[in-house]
Amino acid sequence: MLNFLRQFFRDRSVDYLVDELRLREEIFGLLVLSPLLGYPLVTSDLSLRLLPYLSEELQILIDRIQRLEDQFGETLGRFDLG
Amino acid sequence: MKSYLLLGKGGVGKTTLSAALGLALSQQGNTRVLSLDPAHNLFDILTLPPSQNPRVQLTETLIVEEVDLEQAFQKHFSEMAKALQREYRYLQPLGLDRILNLLKEAPGSEEFIYLQILLDTLRESSHAFMVYDFPPTGLALRILSLPIRSRHWAERLLGLRKEILELRETIARIRKTPAPEDPVIHELITYHQELERLIDWLRSEDTEMWIVAQEDPFSIAEARDILIALRSIGGQSRKKIIANRVVDEGTIREVFRDFPEIPLFVIPPLTPPPIGQEALQRVPGLSEILEA
C-alpha cells in the first residue's frame, strides 16, 4: 500500500514537472521563432541559427495551437479536476 | 592582424579609399581588401578585367575580393537546409533548392550572412592587414550592431535553456532514464562564442573605423549617425573621420567639432578621379592618416 502511494505521488510530481517543462519549452520556442512568425523579439540570426534544432519545440507549439480551443479543459486536466 | 573598416554613405569614395589603402598597406605586409558592398565596384576602380573569380591576387602581397553574396548564401545555408530537411521530415518533398530559397527570403537573412562572412575572415585570415569596404550606412549599421544585440539575446536564451535542461535532468533522474542530449544548447554556446569573437574584434585596438564623408549635408548626416552608433559598440577601436573631395576644410571641421576625440583628415578633390593602381597609389594624405 505504502509503495503504491509512493509511486502515485511520484508520478503526479513528475506530471507537474513535465507540464512545467512543456510550458518552458513553449516559451523558448516562441521566443526563438518569433522573428520568423512576424513578431521579432530575439534577433533573427539566432532564429536562423537554431532553426534546424528546434523541431521538438515547433511540434510543441503546433500541439499548443491545436489545444487553444479547449483552454478550460486543459487547465482542469492539469489539476485532475472535473 | 590589423583591420580597417570603411564606413559611410554610398558614393563618398569608400571603395576608392579601400583600394588605395590596400595598395599602401601591401607595401608593409600581406593585405586583403574585401568589398562587402552588394553593388561593389572594387574591380572597376582597380581597372581589373571582369572575372568569374571573386578573389584576385593583385600583387604578391595583395588580394582583392568582391564578396559574392549568392555564393555566401549557398555556402552558409546549404548545410542548414540539409539539417532542416533531416529534422523536419515534412520538408523533404520540397527539395533542397526550395528550402534554400525560403531561408534566403527569411527576415534578417542578409545580416546573418554578413556576420558569417566576417567570422570567416577572422577564422581564415593569415594576413597582416584586412581592409573591409562596408555597404552603405543603413546595412552597415545593422551589421555592426547585430553582434551586441544578438549576444544579449543569446545570453538570455542560454539562461532559459539551462533551466529547461535542469528540469529534463530532474525528470530523467526520477524516471531513472538517461537525460537526452541537447543540440540547441551546443549551438547556442558555439554561436555565443562566435559573437564574443566578433565583438572583441570590433572593440579591439587593432581595429580602425574610417568614417568617410563628403561636403554634402546627406553624407555628413550619415557620418554623424555612424559616429553616434559606434559609441554604443565602445571598446578601444580607433575611429577616424575622412573628409573626402573637400574644398572648404574649415566648414567640414566645424561640422564635426562635437566629435573632438576623433581625428579628422581631409583629402582634396582629385582630377581626374583616381582609377587604376598607379593613380590610387598617388592618393594624397594616406600615409599621414595611417600613421596618425
Side-chain angles (χ1 to χ4, degrees), chain B:
Chain B
M1 181 182 81
K2 199 159 167 64
S3 304
Y4 298 84
L5 280 59
L6 281 88
L7 305 156
K9 187 178 177 295
V12 292
K14 294 187 297 293
T15 309
T16 307
L17 280 173
S18 299
L21 178 59
L23 284 162
L25 290 169
S26 66
Q27 306 294 318
Q28 300 170 36
N30 281 334
T31 305
R32 182 174 163 201
V33 180
L34 183 66
S35 178
L36 298 166
D37 195 334
H40 32 56
N41 47 19
L42 179 63
F43 288 4
D44 299 332
I45 285 167
L46 288 161
T47 58
L48 289 174
S51 165
Q52 291 296 315
N53 192 351
R55 186 185 291 204
V56 171
Q57 183 89 41
L58 194 65
T59 68
E60 202 179 320
T61 54
L62 179 60
I63 288 174
V64 291
E65 185 175 347
E66 289 181 336
V67 156
D68 184 339
L69 273 185
E70 188 56 38
Q71 209 176 38
F73 270 118
Q74 287 286 343
K75 180 183 169 192
H76 292 286
F77 278 152
S78 57
E79 281 308 308
M80 192 187 286
K82 279 181 204 160
L84 278 171
Q85 211 178 27
R86 202 169 46 239
E87 293 293 326
Y88 301 79
R89 288 198 183 148
Y90 51 85
L91 288 178
Q92 278 178 358
L94 274 184
L96 214 55
D97 286 345
R98 287 190 69 185
I99 299 174
L100 263 174
N101 285 335
L102 280 173
L103 286 172
K104 271 192 236 169
E105 299 301 326
S109 62
E110 199 176 23
E111 292 95 313
F112 174 73
I113 284 299
Y114 273 112
L115 282 197
Q116 299 305 313
I117 292 169
L118 291 177
L119 277 167
D120 281 351
T121 65
L122 295 185
R123 276 191 217 107
E124 291 166 10
S125 196
S126 52
H127 299 89
F129 305 105
M130 280 292 306
V131 179
Y132 297 86
D133 171 27
F134 262 72
T137 312
L139 183 54
L141 289 186
R142 288 208 304 278
I143 297 167
L144 291 177
S145 65
L146 195 54
I148 291 177
R149 286 187 295 128
S150 291
R151 183 181 64 173
H152 167 87
W153 273 108
E155 282 166 0
R156 263 126 205 93
L157 290 176
L158 268 171
L160 280 175
R161 200 69 196 175
K162 280 178 186 161
E163 287 173 10
I164 286 174
L165 293 187
E166 276 171 25
L167 258 177
R168 280 188 188 167
E169 276 167 24
T170 307
I171 293 166
R173 210 170 35 245
I174 298 170
R175 287 177 170 166
K176 295 184 176 140
T177 52
E181 276 286 302
D182 186 49
V184 175
I185 198 151
H186 290 303
E187 193 63 17
L188 258 176
I189 290 169
T190 308
Y191 194 43
H192 185 261
Q193 285 166 349
E194 290 176 2
L195 291 168
E196 286 278 353
R197 186 161 184 200
L198 273 175
I199 293 166
D200 287 347
W201 169 67
L202 287 173
R203 290 177 171 170
S204 159
E205 59 185 1
D206 285 329
T207 298
E208 279 195 17
M209 318 262 191
W210 289 23
I211 298 94
V212 187
Q214 289 185 0
E215 274 172 301
D216 75 280
F218 301 115
S219 85
I220 288 169
E222 287 197 15
R224 293 176 61 85
D225 286 344
I226 295 169
L227 288 166
I228 291 164
L230 290 181
R231 278 181 181 158
S232 65
I233 294 175
Q236 307 294 315
S237 69
R238 303 183 67 196
K239 284 104 187 160
K240 292 172 179 172
I241 301 168
I242 317 294
N244 194 21
R245 302 177 197 138
V246 164
V247 180
D248 182 358
E249 186 175 335
T251 305
I252 204 99
R253 287 199 181 278
E254 184 64 18
V255 164
F256 288 107
R257 73 178 186 286
D258 47 341
F259 295 97
E261 74 283 11
I262 300 175
L264 186 147
F265 302 88
V266 172
I267 297 176
L270 302 173
T271 319
I275 290 175
Q277 285 187 55
E278 271 183 40
L280 286 163
Q281 278 165 333
R282 290 198 302 270
V283 171
L286 261 187
S287 52
E288 190 188 306
I289 303 171
L290 274 170
E291 282 161 22

